[in-house]
């Protein structure tokens, strides 16, 4: 993933052989190392979601005589959320492009658009959960609904954390501008955001589409 | 000393272009719409639909990796790619292994 | 009012057991003593600036090791209490309830709060020094990992005197661990204690993978890394992929207990078997996580004290990495008896047998390294030599257990108990002891008394065989694990008495070790030379203990065992490498955030256990504030100027 290996050092040109060279080298290495570390964290998050998916799939038929997913899930809202998140994944990419152009205002603007799309996604998810609870399905209804709310909710929690983080990052960029450190942070959050979109694709496919089939 | 060389010379930037993001975005939309149409209209048998929509999801994953996360542009040694592949193998093991083991213990 | 307080206290504190009352009193007294000492000698500031906020990998390593030795003591006392009960069940030394708690805490503490931190301690101290780095990749995260472990362990341990200990076994199988089976608070302490420290372990795994892949000294190729570094890499990769599964599994159990979900309950469509399936997907890799670094330690020790290059370096690397991979494909052998069908059992029996092959390869590598070497029987070497036969027997009983049909007989019997103690003590504990003895001079700058170390060695070893060999027989005679009493007619008592004697011999061995450390501190003799054992790898090329920045100049590596090759070259008349000019060294600043954030996690965890909403909210809000505070702080590092490095180096090397 090129984000992780292209943290640019600005005007600094030739590097020494090791990482003990000059001050700039240290900084450069640090930023690219942090991006690699974050990539590894994302891989561990893949395993985390994988375990939740495994649990959901194993327990998908265990509705204990209660309501099933097919009965209660309304696909319309979910389709809207899906496109919202998909678009936000794209806009977070545009933010990165603006950053590499050195356009601070463009960067903040596109991050704000991304965050707004993410917030709408969360709004729709909360609405859906409230609807489900009114229909008589909560986390304690049956194994199926426990697995449903946990899997979908964990994804939603990740998105919410990303939103707080994005706002914090916008404040930092407006104060400090585009520096190697804020660059790395933007690269990382855009990776995180693409990752959450990927997870949602599978939630959408396995929980919702296969659920209503 | 592989990795020191790897990040020792980065004169070129490889963070993708507007073009790659737009292509990725369009592909994702198409890959989302196909399964939707299939499921909403009950066009195929259940087995076939399941298989196709899972394939679409995997393809979309690949699209995001290539066009949004620029995985192909990583420099050697490709630790990011290796970690991802290992992660996916374990992921499949967890899901498939659980399904296999638990089919014999289904309660419900 | 007073009545209310009384009522609260009787619920809050564990009451009514003289053993626990004694513990409560002694804990309160030692707390008072610690606070008094720190205040009297005005050491609070020193403690905060030098230790609690330190991001120095060497200090973090030492804190890990101290904590793990305290945990070894507690886990060991648990073991001795159980052995007393089993030697004379008719005396009813422990109530059944208390017995359940003790075997639960013994298992959890020994694996998660003793083996893991001891391992992380050695990672921290040794890995950066061996690869010629100045710290780990993420020093701040490293400090956070330690404090998360520490406060997780404290949360777990506090259940002993507050609220009640968990008693559903070390892996807390449902439905027993569900609210219906364990309505008490012990199980909640279990979940949150392990959860908090588990997040720390996961972060450590990522940290060391990045450190090893990205921070090696200039010139050091992957295939030139010391074998311990390879073993750490394989172990940390396994951590990265296994620990998220633990996090999820415990989280689901928490949801069952706290929100009334139905993942693993008997009603509501839940499936307890799923928990067992999930927990072993973490649990099996976990045992490889702790044993792999031990393999690395043995490789270092065997090569250093045979004065030979490690035999079969490449096959060793291959064996380590393939174990790390295959460890993810054997988990179902922990529950062959669950009835998953012949195909499942056959598959997992085969993978289990398969994984014994790379393990066997390594044994031959160590033997061939020793072959025709000039072996010096120092304490680290003795532990290594004792490990080999012990681990071979333990491994082979493991292969016996992997035969699925036979396992229906061995399952949950003392045969199993004897098997895993043999690989965990004979492999992990012996290995970490070898590592502790080997790297002790590097950590502290003085040696441990060899004579007392040898006494401890013999007591440990004899005690081990006396304790566990009878247990194989007891298992075959039908004694199952976790029983607290049996009839005299069963004929189990003689062997149980022998086993108990063995356990106390190991307890005696531990006392010898404490004495050894105390003695060595009392007769402190500073190491003049950083190279205590005429070692082969980079950590021996710098003074003991290493200065803050480890290497004044980053070494230029050209060989495997570079330091040894360099010494040979100079002995043969070669000129020492020319010294590059010193440059300012980039270092991370200390930070109090990891400590404070872990306290907040502890607070939130404690709140969840008691279901005190205000406390949960306070704790979690604290965690969020800490994270944001870190995100907004940009002043996180500094440079050590050249003249300061020169002064430090002159002081360290001047005596030479």
């Amino acid at each position: 993933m090129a984000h992780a290996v292209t943290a640019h050092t600005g005007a600094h040109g030739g590097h020494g052989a090791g990482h003990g060279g000059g001050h700039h080298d240290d900084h450069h290495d640090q930023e690219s190392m942090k991006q690699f570390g974050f990539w590894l964290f994302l891989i561990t998050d893949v395993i985390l979601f994988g375990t939740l998916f495994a649990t959901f799939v194993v327990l998908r038929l265990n509705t204990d005589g209660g309501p099933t997913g097919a009965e209660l899930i309304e696909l319309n809202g979910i389709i809207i959320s899906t496109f919202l998140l998909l678009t936000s994944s794209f806009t977070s990419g545009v933010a990165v492009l603006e950053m590499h152009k050195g356009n601070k205002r463009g960067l903040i603007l596109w991050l704000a658009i991304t965050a707004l799309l993410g917030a709408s996604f969360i709004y729709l998810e909360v609405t859906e959960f409230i609807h489900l609870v009114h229909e008589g399905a909560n986390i304690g209804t049956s194994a199926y609904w426990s697995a449903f709310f946990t899997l979908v909710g964990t994804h939603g929690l990740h998105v919410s954390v990303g939103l707080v983080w994005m706002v914090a990052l916008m404040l930092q960029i407006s104060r400090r501008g585009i520096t190697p450190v804020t660059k790395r942070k933007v690269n990382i959050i855009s990776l995180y955001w693409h990752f959450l979109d990927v997870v949602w694709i599978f939630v959408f496919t396995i929980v919702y589409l296969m659920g209503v089939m | 000393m592989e990795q020191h060389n790897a990040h020792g010379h980065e004169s070129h930037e490889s963070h993708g272009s507007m073009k790659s993001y737009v292509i990725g975005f369009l592909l994702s939309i198409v890959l989302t719409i196909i399964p939707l149409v299939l499921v909403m209209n009950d066009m195929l048998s259940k087995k076939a639909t399941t298989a196709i929509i899972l394939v679409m999801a995997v393809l979309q994953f690949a699209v995001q990796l290539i066009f949004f996360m620029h995985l192909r542009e990583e420099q050697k040694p490709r630790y990011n790619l290796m970690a991802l592949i290992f992660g996916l193998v374990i992921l499949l093991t967890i899901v498939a292994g659980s399904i296999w083991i638990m089919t014999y213990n289904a309660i419900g | 009012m007073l009545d209310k307080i009384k009522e609260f206290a009787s619920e809050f504190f564990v009451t009514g057991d003289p053993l626990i009352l004694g513990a409560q009193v002694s804990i309160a007294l030692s707390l008072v003593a610690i606070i008094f000492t720190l205040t009297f000698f005005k050491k609070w500031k020193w403690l905060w600036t030098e230790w609690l906020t330190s991001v120095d990998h060497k200090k973090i390593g030492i804190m890990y090791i101290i904590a793990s030795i305290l945990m070894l003591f507690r886990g060991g006392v648990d073991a001795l209490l159980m052995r007393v009960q089993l030697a004379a069940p008719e005396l009813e030394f422990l109530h059944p309830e208390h017995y359940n708690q003790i075997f639960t805490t013994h298992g959890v503490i020994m694996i998660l709060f003793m083996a893991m931190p001891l391992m992380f301690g050695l990672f921290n101290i040794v890995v950066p020094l061996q690869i010629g780095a100045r710290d780990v990749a993420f020093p701040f995260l490293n400090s956070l990992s330690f404090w998360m472990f520490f406060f997780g362990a404290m949360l777990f341990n506090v259940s002993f005197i507050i609220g009640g200990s968990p008693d559903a076994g070390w892996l807390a199988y449902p439905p027993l661990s569900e609210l219906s089976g364990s309505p008490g608070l012990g199980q909640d302490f279990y979940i949150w204690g392990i959860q908090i420290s588990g997040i720390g372990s996961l972060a450590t795994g990522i940290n060391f993978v990045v450190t090893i892949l990205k921070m090696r000294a200039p010139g050091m190729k992957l295939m030139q890394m010391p074998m311990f570094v390879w073993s750490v890499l394989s172990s940390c990769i396994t951590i990265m992929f296994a620990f998220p599964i633990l996090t999820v599994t415990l989280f689901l159990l928490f949801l069952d207990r706290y929100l009334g979900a139905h993942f693993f309950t008997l009603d509501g469509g839940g499936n307890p078997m799923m928990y067992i399936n999930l927990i072993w997907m973490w649990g099996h890799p976990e045992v490889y996580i702790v044993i792999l670094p031990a393999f690395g330690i043995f490789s270092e020790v065997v090569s250093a004290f045979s004065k030979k290059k490690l035999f079969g370096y490449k096959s060793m690397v291959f064996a380590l990495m393939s174990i790390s991979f295959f460890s993810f494909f054997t988990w179902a052998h922990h529950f062959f008896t669950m009835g998953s069908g012949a195909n499942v059992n056959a598959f997992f029996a085969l993978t289990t047998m398969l994984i014994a092959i790379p393990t066997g390869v390594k044994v031959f590598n160590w033997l061939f390294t020793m072959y025709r070497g000039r072996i010096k029987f120092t304490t680290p070497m003795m532990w290594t030599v004792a490990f080999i036969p012990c681990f071979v027997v333990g491994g082979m009983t493991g292969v016996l257990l992997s035969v699925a049909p036979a396992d229906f007989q061995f399952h949950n019997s003392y045969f199993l108990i004897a098997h895993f103690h043999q690989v965990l003590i004979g492999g992990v504990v012996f290995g970490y002891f070898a590592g502790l003895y080997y790297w002790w001079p590097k950590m502290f700058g003085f040696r441990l008394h060899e004579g007392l170390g040898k006494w401890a060695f013999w007591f440990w070893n004899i005690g081990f065989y006396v304790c566990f060999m009878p247990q194989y027989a007891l298992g075959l005679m039908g004694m199952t694990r976790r029983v607290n009493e049996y009839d005299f007619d069963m004929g189990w008592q003689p062997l149980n008495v022998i086993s108990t004697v063995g356990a106390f011999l190991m307890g005696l061995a531990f006392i010898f070790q404490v004495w050894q450390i105390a003695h060595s501190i009392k007769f402190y003799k500073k190491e003049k030379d950083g190279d205590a054992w005429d070692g082969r790898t980079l950590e021996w090329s710098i003074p003991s203990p290493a200065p803050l920045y480890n290497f004044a100049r980053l070494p230029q590596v050209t060989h495997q065992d570079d330091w040894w090759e360099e010494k040979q070259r100079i002995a043969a008349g070669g000129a020492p490498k020319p010294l590059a000019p010193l440059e300012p060294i980039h270092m991370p600043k200390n930070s109090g955030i990891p400590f404070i954030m872990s306290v907040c996690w502890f607070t939130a965890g404690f709140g969840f256990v008691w279901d005190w909403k205000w406390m949960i909210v306070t704790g979690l809000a604290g965690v969020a504030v800490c994270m944001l505070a870190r995100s907004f702080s940009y002043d996180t590092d500094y440079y050590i100027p050249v003249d300061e490095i020169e002064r430090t180096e002159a002081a360290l090397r001047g005596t030479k």
Side-chain angles (χ1 to χ4, degrees):
Chain A
M1 159 230 41
H3 287 318
V5 284
T6 55
H8 201 57
T9 45
H12 192 66
H15 290 268
H19 55 305
H23 297 198
H24 287 281
D25 281 352
D26 289 345
H27 225 87
H28 165 84
D29 279 359
Q30 295 256 315
E31 303 312 320
S32 86
M33 224 158 50
K34 282 180 181 166
Q35 295 193 29
F36 179 52
F38 190 78
W39 179 257
L40 294 184
F41 161 75
L42 284 185
I43 307 277
T44 66
D45 230 18
V46 167
I47 305 293
L48 183 138
F49 277 105
T51 314
L52 288 173
F53 273 108
T55 310
F56 177 82
V57 173
V58 166
L59 299 175
R60 73 191 181 283
L61 301 174
N62 298 17
T63 49
D64 194 35
T68 64
E71 286 165 24
L72 298 189
I73 288 171
E74 292 191 8
L75 218 44
N76 292 340
I78 304 304
I79 294 169
I80 298 171
S81 333
T82 305
F83 283 105
L84 282 177
L85 206 61
L86 198 60
T87 313
S88 78
S89 185
F90 171 71
T91 56
S92 79
V94 178
V96 172
L97 287 179
E98 289 296 316
M99 175 179 78
H100 285 294
K101 277 193 227 151
N103 183 356
K104 181 174 144 184
R105 287 188 55 185
L107 167 60
I108 295 178
L109 177 73
W110 284 101
L111 279 182
I113 294 174
T114 308
L116 269 179
L117 290 168
S120 330
F121 173 88
I122 292 297
Y123 172 77
L124 285 180
E125 184 157 284
V126 171
T127 320
E128 185 213 3
F129 278 13
I130 291 172
H131 165 75
L132 287 173
V133 171
H134 276 296
E135 296 287 320
N138 59 48
I139 197 167
T141 304
S142 66
Y144 169 83
W145 288 107
S146 300
F148 172 91
F149 280 107
T150 307
L151 174 55
V152 180
T154 305
H155 176 267
L157 198 65
H158 273 75
V159 176
S160 313
V161 169
L163 287 177
V164 176
W165 183 12
M166 218 175 261
V167 172
L169 193 50
M170 285 189 273
L171 289 174
Q172 291 174 32
I173 297 165
S174 69
R175 282 222 310 245
R176 294 171 188 274
I178 301 173
T179 68
V181 177
T182 50
K183 259 190 173 181
R184 180 254 306 164
K185 290 188 177 187
V186 173
N187 276 331
I188 281 180
I189 199 163
S190 101
L191 263 185
Y192 181 72
W193 210 256
H194 296 317
F195 164 77
L196 289 181
D197 190 32
V198 168
V199 174
W200 180 255
I201 302 299
F202 284 91
V203 173
F204 176 64
T205 307
I206 291 172
V207 177
Y208 290 104
L209 287 183
M210 285 163 70
V212 299
M213 259 161 61
Chain B
M1 182 30 317
E2 316 85 344
Q3 87 279 0
H4 282 284
N5 291 335
H7 50 64
H9 46 75
E10 268 145 345
S11 44
H12 63 93
E13 294 234 325
S14 47
H15 45 74
S17 61
M18 195 55 164
K19 201 177 130 199
S20 78
Y21 280 108
V22 172
I23 297 175
F25 187 43
L26 292 177
L27 281 175
S28 303
I29 290 179
V30 172
L31 289 169
T32 310
I33 290 178
I34 295 174
L36 257 178
V37 171
L38 284 180
V39 172
M40 304 275 270
N41 300 319
D42 280 328
M43 289 166 80
L44 296 167
S45 72
K46 198 170 174 185
K47 258 199 183 135
T49 316
T50 310
I52 290 175
I53 65 177
L54 280 175
V55 170
M56 294 292 149
V58 172
L59 282 180
Q60 189 162 174
F61 173 44
V63 165
Q64 296 253 345
L65 277 177
I66 293 166
F67 293 98
F68 287 5
M69 304 196 214
H70 318 293
L71 189 69
R72 275 164 42 145
E73 293 155 42
E74 189 196 350
Q75 292 172 3
K76 283 180 181 172
R78 308 185 68 164
Y79 292 130
N80 290 295
L81 182 65
M82 288 187 229
L84 178 68
I85 292 174
F86 194 11
L88 293 179
V89 169
I90 303 301
L91 171 88
L92 281 179
T93 310
I94 294 170
V95 176
S98 295
I99 294 173
W100 189 35
I101 290 171
M102 297 308 292
T103 39
Y104 297 90
N105 296 283
I107 306 174
Chain C
M1 185 66 191
L2 198 66
D3 281 343
K4 265 200 176 152
I5 294 175
K6 253 189 194 165
E7 195 188 310
F8 172 76
S10 70
E11 260 177 54
F12 191 73
F13 292 106
V14 178
T15 49
D17 188 308
L19 275 175
I20 294 178
L21 186 68
Q24 283 166 334
V25 172
S26 61
I27 288 171
L29 285 178
S30 29
L31 269 181
V32 171
I34 290 169
I35 292 170
F36 177 77
T37 317
L38 284 171
T39 314
F40 187 80
F41 291 103
K42 300 202 173 63
K43 288 289 187 190
W44 284 105
K45 189 149 183 281
W46 166 82
L47 185 70
W48 178 256
T49 53
E50 293 292 313
W51 293 93
L52 303 191
T53 60
S54 177
V55 293
D56 179 358
H57 69 98
K58 299 175 287 292
K59 284 185 175 166
I60 291 173
I62 288 171
M63 291 192 287
Y64 265 123
I65 288 171
I66 293 172
S68 67
I69 288 174
L70 289 176
M71 289 291 103
L72 175 64
F73 174 73
R74 183 184 165 191
V77 171
D78 281 349
L80 292 181
L81 293 177
M82 280 190 282
R83 285 314 319 170
V84 171
Q85 164 71 20
L86 287 175
E90 61 278 4
L91 293 181
E92 222 186 283
F93 174 66
L94 299 173
H95 305 295
E97 211 178 301
H98 196 183
Y99 188 84
N100 290 349
Q101 293 175 349
I102 284 181
F103 70 64
T104 302
T105 54
H106 169 75
V108 173
I109 285 175
M110 285 305 204
I111 295 283
L112 288 163
F113 301 134
M114 189 284 282
M116 291 292 282
L118 190 48
M119 171 178 102
F120 289 148
L122 291 169
F123 285 11
N124 263 290
I125 286 161
V126 179
V127 169
L129 301 183
Q130 278 199 330
I131 61 172
R134 287 185 171 133
D135 209 317
V136 295
F138 312 120
F140 174 89
L141 186 68
N142 196 27
S143 165
L144 181 63
S145 293
F146 170 74
W147 289 111
M148 291 288 274
F149 146 72
F150 182 81
F151 281 102
M154 288 306 109
L155 186 59
F156 181 86
N157 276 279
V158 87
S159 69
F160 177 48
I161 49 169
I162 293 173
S165 294
D167 56 0
W170 85 279
L171 282 185
Y173 282 7
L176 181 59
S177 58
E178 292 283 356
L179 214 49
S180 55
S182 306
L185 299 175
Q187 205 50 48
D188 302 302
F189 277 112
Y190 171 96
I191 290 173
W192 283 100
I194 297 179
Q195 194 71 291
I196 291 171
S197 74
I199 299 168
S201 306
L202 184 59
T204 306
I206 296 176
N207 210 339
F208 277 87
V209 171
V210 179
T211 306
I212 294 168
L213 292 181
K214 298 279 186 188
M215 288 189 58
R216 300 191 305 281
M220 186 186 274
K221 296 198 180 83
L222 280 176
M223 290 308 269
Q224 289 172 340
M225 296 196 305
M227 194 50 68
F228 179 67
V229 178
W230 268 111
S231 72
V232 174
L233 182 63
S234 60
S235 170
C236 286
I237 290 175
T238 317
I239 289 177
M240 267 179 51
F241 294 110
F243 267 76
I245 309 177
L246 175 71
T247 305
V248 171
T249 312
L250 289 178
F251 181 62
L252 300 184
L253 184 61
F254 161 73
L255 289 179
D256 272 5
R257 291 180 61 90
Y258 191 73
L259 292 181
H262 289 289
F263 288 102
F264 312 124
T265 54
L266 286 175
D267 57 342
N271 191 341
M273 302 297 193
M274 187 58 188
Y275 178 92
I276 297 167
N277 173 55
L278 288 178
I279 197 88
W280 281 113
M281 271 197 237
W282 159 79
H284 193 76
E286 165 66 15
V287 300
Y288 285 98
I289 288 167
V290 291
I291 191 74
L292 285 168
F295 293 157
I297 293 169
F298 294 129
S299 304
E300 297 292 321
V301 169
V302 114
S303 150
F305 294 105
S306 306
K307 295 267 167 281
K308 275 176 70 189
K309 210 174 181 163
L310 184 67
F311 181 89
Y313 180 93
K314 279 184 188 158
S315 63
M316 202 67 133
V317 170
F318 183 75
L320 288 172
M321 297 315 273
S322 59
I323 289 177
S324 153
F325 182 73
F326 282 114
S327 68
F328 284 95
F329 298 89
T330 64
W331 77 92
H333 70 218
H334 292 272
F335 46 90
F336 279 144
T337 54
M338 187 164 107
S340 293
N343 289 338
V344 172
N345 281 3
F347 175 83
F348 285 97
L350 282 175
T351 53
T352 308
M353 293 171 200
L354 209 64
I355 208 168
I357 295 170
T359 315
V361 167
K362 287 203 293 292
V363 171
F364 286 105
N365 282 340
W366 293 316
L367 292 176
F368 282 123
T369 307
M370 282 190 268
Y371 178 65
R372 299 189 123 170
R374 282 168 286 148
I375 300 178
K376 275 173 82 180
F377 278 100
T378 55
T379 34
M381 189 62 180
M382 288 171 76
W383 286 104
T384 305
V385 172
F387 146 81
I388 293 176
C390 192
F391 196 77
V392 166
V393 174
M396 286 196 294
T397 56
V399 175
L400 288 180
L401 282 159
S402 79
V403 182
D407 181 70
F408 276 68
Q409 297 303 314
F410 301 136
H411 187 79
N412 272 359
S413 74
Y414 258 77
F415 189 86
L416 169 79
I417 302 294
H419 156 70
F420 73 66
H421 279 92
Q422 185 147 21
V423 282
L424 285 173
I425 295 180
V428 178
V429 176
F430 283 18
Y432 295 174
F433 280 164
L436 267 184
Y437 284 112
Y438 182 57
W439 282 300
W440 186 279
K442 186 49 59 189
M443 291 180 224
F444 297 104
F446 65 94
R447 281 165 192 260
L448 286 173
H449 188 269
E450 281 280 295
L452 285 168
K454 285 180 181 170
W455 277 96
F457 169 83
W458 287 111
F459 271 104
W460 261 108
N461 269 272
I462 295 169
F464 170 81
Y465 286 102
V466 174
C467 181
F468 290 103
M469 290 305 118
Q471 294 188 8
Y472 281 116
L474 282 169
L476 295 178
M477 288 159 78
M479 181 164 160
T480 56
R481 75 192 297 191
R482 292 171 180 169
V483 293
N484 63 322
E485 52 189 13
Y486 50 83
D487 273 344
F488 184 73
D489 310 342
M490 304 298 285
W492 297 344
Q493 195 154 25
L495 285 176
N496 268 309
V497 170
I498 295 174
S499 181
T500 302
V501 170
F504 275 89
L505 288 177
M506 285 190 275
L508 215 59
F510 182 75
I511 293 174
F512 267 105
Q513 287 177 310
V514 175
W515 180 13
Q516 180 191 17
I517 294 172
H519 182 274
S520 312
I521 293 174
K522 195 174 167 202
F523 298 96
Y524 176 88
K525 218 176 105 225
K526 176 108 181 66
E527 275 283 286
K528 286 211 178 65
D529 186 355
D531 195 357
W533 311 105
D534 194 9
R536 309 176 71 83
T537 39
L538 288 177
E539 75 270 33
W540 304 110
S541 68
I542 52 174
S544 301
L548 177 65
Y549 47 79
N550 298 347
F551 296 88
R553 299 169 182 83
L554 286 183
Q556 298 282 334
V557 177
T558 44
H559 294 88
Q560 179 197 331
D561 292 348
D562 199 68
W563 173 238
W564 177 259
E565 299 291 338
E566 180 69 6
K567 285 191 286 188
Q568 297 300 93
R569 206 173 58 78
I570 291 171
K577 285 179 189 166
L579 291 178
L582 287 170
E583 287 181 47
I585 294 175
H586 184 217
M587 295 299 286
K589 277 189 180 166
N590 283 358
S591 170
I593 294 178
F595 182 84
I596 297 167
M597 188 167 148
S598 306
V599 171
C600 294
W601 271 113
F602 180 92
T603 312
F606 200 80
F608 273 118
V609 170
W610 291 89
D611 197 8
W612 292 339
K613 302 279 190 301
W614 60 271
M615 203 169 182
I616 301 173
V617 173
T618 316
L620 291 180
V623 171
V625 168
C626 285
M627 285 174 136
L628 285 172
R630 175 64 183 178
S631 179
F632 278 92
S633 52
Y634 276 66
D635 180 26
T636 54
D637 38 17
Y638 69 106
Y639 282 88
I640 305 180
V642 170
D643 56 330
E644 195 185 324
I645 306 169
E646 274 168 353
R647 259 180 286 128
T648 317
E649 286 295 300
L652 283 171
R653 301 199 187 243
T655 48
K656 215 172 173 180

